[in-house]
Amino acid sequence: MAKIFSVHPDNPQIRRIEEIKSALSSGAVMLYPTDTVYAIGCDLNAKSAVERVRQIKKLANDKPLTFLCPSLSNVATYAFVSDTAYRIMKRLIPGSYTFLLPATKLVPRLVQSPKRKTTGIRVPNHTVCLELLAALGNPIISTSAHLPPDEADNGMIRIDPEIVQSRVELFDRLDKLVDIIVDTGEEPTYEVSTILDMTGDEAVIIRRGLGWEAAAAWV
């Protein structure tokens, strides 16, 4: 059974943030809200926790995982950011955007795309996420807690907009799979991030999600 931490969405309690940070540092997996969907995540550098996240989502090892960073300068630690990518990202972050970028050696292989050597990175516009990132000092894995219907077979836990009506139900469905649930009182949404592929000479929008119109103006 997961431990639930009630955290104020706008003014997170320092003690709660520290408790969650300590658990993440020890390899905990959490369910938490972001500025898009509720996500399943852990410390990027906690290998066993990353493996558990993959198991929960039934992700093959060739499927890359997105992670959160607190700032553009921090992104540059984990990815190679071209001048073009930098100019676009500076306009869009923090926000509901996932940037596909060439990974540096600091990104664990278990997280990146093995063939392309790329990684997905977000800088969220979400106070609790940013406070957790600041406390932890490491990026946080962020994969949607939503399982599309075509992936929800073979005894897999099914989470989709037609089934999950509230955060309470979402918490109940994942209670036995994660160690921590961060409860800010925010209800689940199913508006995903916009994905921009920035591995080439020009940025390309490969998924239209929240804020894609703003991204299109700069691509």
Side-chain angles (χ1 to χ4, degrees):
M1 180 175 287
K3 183 174 182 178
I4 297 178
F5 290 90
S6 297
V7 180
H8 194 282
D10 302 314
N11 297 292
Q13 304 92 317
I14 295 175
R15 181 178 176 181
R16 296 278 167 79
I17 294 296
E18 284 298 315
E19 288 176 328
I20 297 169
K21 170 221 144 181
S22 296
L24 292 175
S25 296
S26 299
V29 172
M30 69 174 173
L31 173 67
Y32 66 106
T34 72
D35 52 345
T36 55
V37 298
Y38 263 79
I40 299 169
C42 62
D43 185 332
L44 176 72
N45 294 323
K47 183 179 178 181
S48 62
V50 174
E51 289 173 340
R52 281 183 58 203
V53 171
R54 283 195 173 280
Q55 290 170 359
I56 292 170
K57 288 294 297 278
K58 296 293 191 292
L59 293 173
N61 286 338
D62 61 349
K63 297 289 186 181
L65 288 168
T66 295
F67 58 88
L68 307 181
C69 284
S71 65
L72 181 51
S73 59
N74 189 248
V75 170
T77 301
Y78 297 93
F80 296 102
V81 182
S82 67
D83 290 342
T84 299
Y86 179 87
R87 287 194 296 270
I88 295 172
M89 293 171 70
K90 190 175 181 181
R91 296 282 185 175
L92 297 176
I93 62 175
S96 55
Y97 304 97
T98 299
F99 304 101
L100 299 184
L101 296 158
T104 68
K105 292 182 179 180
L106 290 181
V107 178
R109 290 183 180 181
L110 190 59
V111 172
Q112 62 182 276
S113 171
K115 293 182 179 179
R116 299 184 67 196
K117 306 299 182 186
T118 58
T119 191
I121 302 180
R122 292 194 58 217
V123 178
N125 186 19
H126 193 279
T127 301
V128 173
C129 289
L130 294 172
E131 288 292 334
L132 286 173
L133 286 164
L136 185 62
N138 289 327
I140 294 174
I141 292 293
S142 181
T143 180
S144 171
H146 164 56
L147 300 179
D150 61 351
E151 295 178 11
D153 299 321
N154 301 320
M156 197 172 179
I157 288 183
R158 182 184 175 103
I159 302 172
D160 64 43
E162 295 180 357
I163 294 178
V164 178
Q165 302 298 322
S166 69
R167 76 183 193 284
V168 173
E169 188 170 1
L170 178 64
F171 294 173
D172 183 60
R173 289 176 180 275
L174 289 174
D175 179 58
K176 295 180 181 179
L177 297 179
V178 300
D179 305 304
I180 296 170
I181 294 175
V182 179
D183 183 8
T184 58
E186 298 166 272
E187 292 299 326
T189 67
Y190 298 90
E191 297 180 281
V192 296
S193 64
T194 292
I195 300 178
L196 294 92
D197 188 335
M198 311 191 97
T199 58
D201 294 333
E202 296 183 358
V204 179
I205 296 175
I206 60 175
R207 183 178 74 185
R208 291 183 178 186
L210 278 174
W212 74 266
E213 298 93 341
W218 297 105
V219 172

